[in-house]
Amino acid sequence: AWLPTHLSQQARDSFRRLTVIDSVLSDEDRFHGTFAKHLSQDKRVRAWQLLEAQRDTLTREAEKAFKQAYGLADKKETEVQLGFEDHLDPVHPVPGLSLPIGASFEKAVRLIAARLLECQFPAHPQLDPENTGRAITTSDAKKAYDLVRRAALARDRRVEVPSGERKLMTRLAQPLLLGTMGEAYFELSSHWTDFFDDQVRADELPAGDDLTYVRLTDWLDRPEPRGLHETARQLVIAGFAEIADRVWVRGGAVQDVSLAFAARPGDALRTQPRPSEPDWEEALDRYESLFGEKPKSRLYRGQIINQFATAVREQARACDEAAGELVRRLEDAQGKLGLDESDPAGRLALARRSLALVKQLIDTAEAGSAAARRTVETLAGFDLRGVSPLRYGTSLAQARKVASALAEANADWDTLELAEGLGPEGHSILERLKAAARSDQQTADLAGALERARREVIALLKARQTPPTPPEPQQPPGPSGPDDISLKGDDAEPSVPSTHTATPGSGGVRRAGGGRTKARAAAAQFAAEIQALAEAQPDAEIEITWRMVGE
């Protein structure tokens, strides 16, 4: 309580008169229509002016009297009653509490309140050294936090501060013990790291435990209350997270972004388990080769390691299905393509190892709080068996395309197998295809090799066909009888050789065929002939007839 002494009778009378005049002058229309309606217009104006002058004089006198009454000026018997000095009456004793003689009421209130708050919160920092009365804003705190974060990312733990923000860092970040503001550079302090470590030991908490936001704010009032405003508390804890390289946790899950100025009571800070620096550098290099993207940052910090590990696992999940499909397709075609699974640089072995790497990276998500470290260590430590990570990356990047090409090739295997019966040229086509299949995808594109081999076989078949001959003129049919039945048709024994017909202008493409052959050869041979016709004349109508003869 801030108690005044009594005014003198003279001062009370003056104050009463001031109150009346102030009421009379509060409404000009009422003044002219009620209080001064008996006066002429000129006298009303004169009366108004005289009352205004009296009000100003009485106001100055009242201000002097009240300052004396509240102990802000030397007391005069004509203004106040003498002998009363106990103007300030705190609930609890406040050492050094006194009135600032000569100060204005506004300044006196601020100084008294500041002294009371200093007693209640003795550890509160001085955030307004110039006594401007300007409160700390969230915008100010965010500017200071950004500079603290940039200093934490720097190897020398300091940052050059723009000239327009140096006063802010001196007024805000330095009193909050986040660092020291020099002439141009702000350098981080280890105060809060050491302070919170001391509180962990004092409360006998297990090392490495999550530090909840509520617990951290409670600790801020040790050993004496600081009484920090919420914005200041958020700045201190967010700054500590950057300085100590801790990551934010919400609902038990590590967050990829900072929760500075958005933390909730259930949020916490966690020490991010980190891989060794050599593993970190190796993982960064492999990531770019395997997945074709540059890491967003190479800084060796918990938050960045966690973000990187998340990106790695997302890339692995994106590759998983296609990588598995590629392995299955290659294994199905292993015999046809002559794949060598013992060669670690070969296509099949590389596809299997790529799939194994993807699976292991995905599984690291189950490692709990150490998931990020496990992901980095798995990526860095995976045995590439002497093969460049770029080759693994190409296998993964083009897995879907190659698997699709192998699936489509299933319908063309019969065509490709015809090459075996086409002499040295056909054998050369198959060998080139197998050589491409045994190589990795970076060396030879298997999808392109399959399509090229199919076209070469069809072209070779066309080239091997006999030149077209004009059809023989047909004789009109004669009378039918037992002696007119030919013994040289499809029903004759022994069998008649296969015959084929081509027409001029068809490019040697057969337009008819038939004969007697083995079933295993017919399937491939006739398929190739029909494929050639379909490419030359896709809309041609054909008739297919076949029957089994003999046993």
Side-chain angles (χ1 to χ4, degrees), residues 190-214:
S190 63
H191 170 82
W192 291 113
T193 304
D194 299 337
F195 173 81
F196 287 125
D197 286 345
D198 291 342
Q199 306 315 307
V200 169
R201 287 189 291 269
D203 287 1
E204 299 181 351
L205 299 177
D209 260 16
D210 291 354
L211 301 181
T212 65
Y213 184 75
V214 172

Side-chain angles (χ1 to χ4, degrees), residues 48 51 57 63 69 130 148 167 176 190 241 274-276 337-338 356 387 389 429 433 466 548:
W48 178 273
L51 288 174
T57 301
E63 288 177 350
E130 298 178 0
V148 170
K167 184 177 289 187
L176 289 175
S190 63
R274 297 191 296 181
S276 66
L337 295 176
V387 180
I429 293 172
L433 174 60
T466 57
M548 186 176 72

Side-chain angles (χ1 to χ4, degrees), residues 24-37 39 43-49 51:
V24 168
L25 296 179
S26 62
D27 187 333
E28 189 171 357
D29 291 338
R30 187 180 61 174
F31 172 81
H32 289 288
T34 302
F35 300 123
K37 65 180 181 178
L39 299 176
K43 290 183 177 180
R44 289 178 191 175
V45 174
R46 178 63 178 160
W48 178 273
Q49 294 173 345
L51 288 174

Side-chain angles (χ1 to χ4, degrees), residues 1-7 64-76 79-91 97-101 105 108 112 116:
W2 185 1
L3 305 175
T5 187
H6 294 288
L7 296 176
K64 291 179 181 179
F66 275 107
K67 289 188 71 174
Q68 294 177 42
Y70 280 90
L72 294 179
D74 294 334
K75 298 181 178 63
K76 296 181 179 179
E79 304 289 342
V80 298
Q81 293 182 4
L82 306 179
F84 183 79
E85 299 295 339
D86 299 329
H87 294 281
L88 300 178
D89 185 18
V91 176
L97 183 62
S98 61
L99 291 168
I101 303 298
F105 275 103
I112 294 171
L116 293 172

Side-chain angles (χ1 to χ4, degrees), residues 143-208:
K143 289 178 182 177
Y145 166 72
D146 183 62
L147 289 165
V148 170
R149 183 185 60 82
R150 287 165 52 191
L153 295 176
R155 291 190 177 275
D156 58 359
R157 311 285 281 178
R158 66 177 194 155
V159 63
E160 185 175 3
V161 179
S163 58
E165 297 178 358
R166 291 170 190 171
K167 184 177 289 187
L168 171 66
M169 298 302 284
T170 302
R171 173 180 176 241
L172 184 55
Q174 185 165 292
L176 289 175
L177 305 177
L178 292 169
T180 303
M181 183 66 231
E183 290 186 6
Y185 284 85
F186 178 78
E187 187 170 352
L188 293 181
S189 166
S190 63
H191 170 82
W192 291 113
T193 304
D194 299 337
F195 173 81
F196 287 125
D197 286 345
D198 291 342
Q199 306 315 307
V200 169
R201 287 189 291 269
D203 287 1
E204 299 181 351
L205 299 177

Side-chain angles (χ1 to χ4, degrees), residues 351-363:
R352 286 173 174 169
R353 292 294 292 166
S354 297
L355 178 60
L357 172 58
V358 165
K359 294 291 187 186
Q360 289 183 28
L361 290 174
I362 294 173
D363 290 344

